[in-house]
Amino acid sequence: MLYTSPALETLIERLSSLPTIGRKTAARLAMYLLKQSDSDVKLLAEALYHLKERVSTCSVCGNITEEDPCPICRDKRRDQSIICVVEEPNDVLVIERTNEFRGLYHVLGGSLAPLDGIGPDELKIRELLLRLNEEKGVKEIILALDPNVEGEATVLYLAKLLHPIVPRIT
């Protein structure tokens, strides 16, 4: 049995529930936060609260945004004929940091993983098909998914599904 503060123990439990944060790292983070000023901890708490209060997903592409549709979807200077399909919103951030891609995005929300119960209906594939029906000028789909088994399976599935609809699949 640990002899510690119930508040500290609760924070360690909450932090360790985050992905890739084990109990040991959570305890280190909690101890770090304990040493910070009240104002710094309050700013962190407010940032977390505002994140959940203000951020949602774009109704067009599925990216994270504070405005709907997101700034990328609203930007008429972007190439409307190319859609880059990615797994998660973080993938959009990575590609955008390169300042090379000037098209649009579609976030699937994951990849096919039948063993984990994730099939086509759990991803935003239906939304992509509806989008392609509404936006007739799409000439190319770029499938930018993780190069793992699930990502490759998703690429094969999407390529077969989209081939009759879009002239070019990359």
Side-chain angles (χ1 to χ4, degrees), residues 50 63 75 112 126 131:
H50 291 309
N63 193 19
D75 188 349
L112 295 174
R126 185 179 310 110
R131 185 175 176 189

Side-chain angles (χ1 to χ4, degrees):
M1 174 179 203
L2 293 176
Y3 294 97
T4 185
S5 156
L8 179 62
E9 190 58 36
T10 299
L11 179 59
I12 292 170
E13 284 176 27
R14 297 306 314 140
L15 290 171
S16 65
S17 72
L18 297 171
T20 72
I21 305 288
R23 184 162 174 79
K24 197 172 178 181
T25 300
R28 270 189 248 133
L29 288 170
M31 295 307 290
Y32 171 81
L33 291 170
L34 199 55
K35 294 176 186 174
Q36 300 308 300
S37 70
D38 289 352
S39 61
D40 284 345
V41 173
K42 186 176 180 183
L43 287 172
L44 176 62
E46 287 173 357
L48 289 169
Y49 177 76
H50 291 309
L51 174 75
K52 289 303 292 177
E53 180 183 62
R54 296 178 184 162
V55 176
S56 62
T57 56
C58 175
S59 61
V60 177
C61 71
N63 193 19
I64 53 173
T65 184
E66 289 188 28
E67 306 166 33
D68 192 24
C70 73
I72 294 172
C73 288
R74 285 195 324 266
D75 188 349
K76 296 301 175 197
R77 295 171 298 173
R78 295 187 79 100
D79 188 343
Q80 308 288 310
S81 71
I82 302 172
I83 297 177
C84 180
V85 178
V86 297
E87 290 180 23
E88 299 292 344
N90 190 49
D91 300 323
V92 174
L93 294 173
V94 170
I95 295 170
E96 282 296 293
R97 279 192 203 118
T98 68
N99 287 322
E100 295 293 322
F101 181 69
R102 299 302 306 153
L104 302 174
Y105 295 94
H106 187 83
V107 180
L108 291 174
S111 58
L112 295 174
L115 296 177
D116 296 328
I118 301 172
D121 291 340
E122 284 69 45
L123 303 177
K124 293 184 179 171
I125 295 172
R126 185 179 310 110
E127 291 83 346
L128 176 61
L129 295 172
L130 290 171
R131 185 175 176 189
L132 292 172
N133 272 343
E134 292 171 7
E135 299 173 21
K136 297 292 183 193
V138 177
K139 294 181 178 131
E140 181 179 8
I141 295 283
I142 299 170
L143 300 173
L145 283 74
D146 287 340
N148 55 26
V149 174
E150 292 86 2
E152 292 294 326
T154 308
V155 165
L156 290 172
Y157 178 82
L158 288 173
K160 189 174 183 178
L161 186 67
L162 298 173
H163 182 70
I165 303 169
V166 180
R168 185 171 177 187
I169 311 279
T170 308

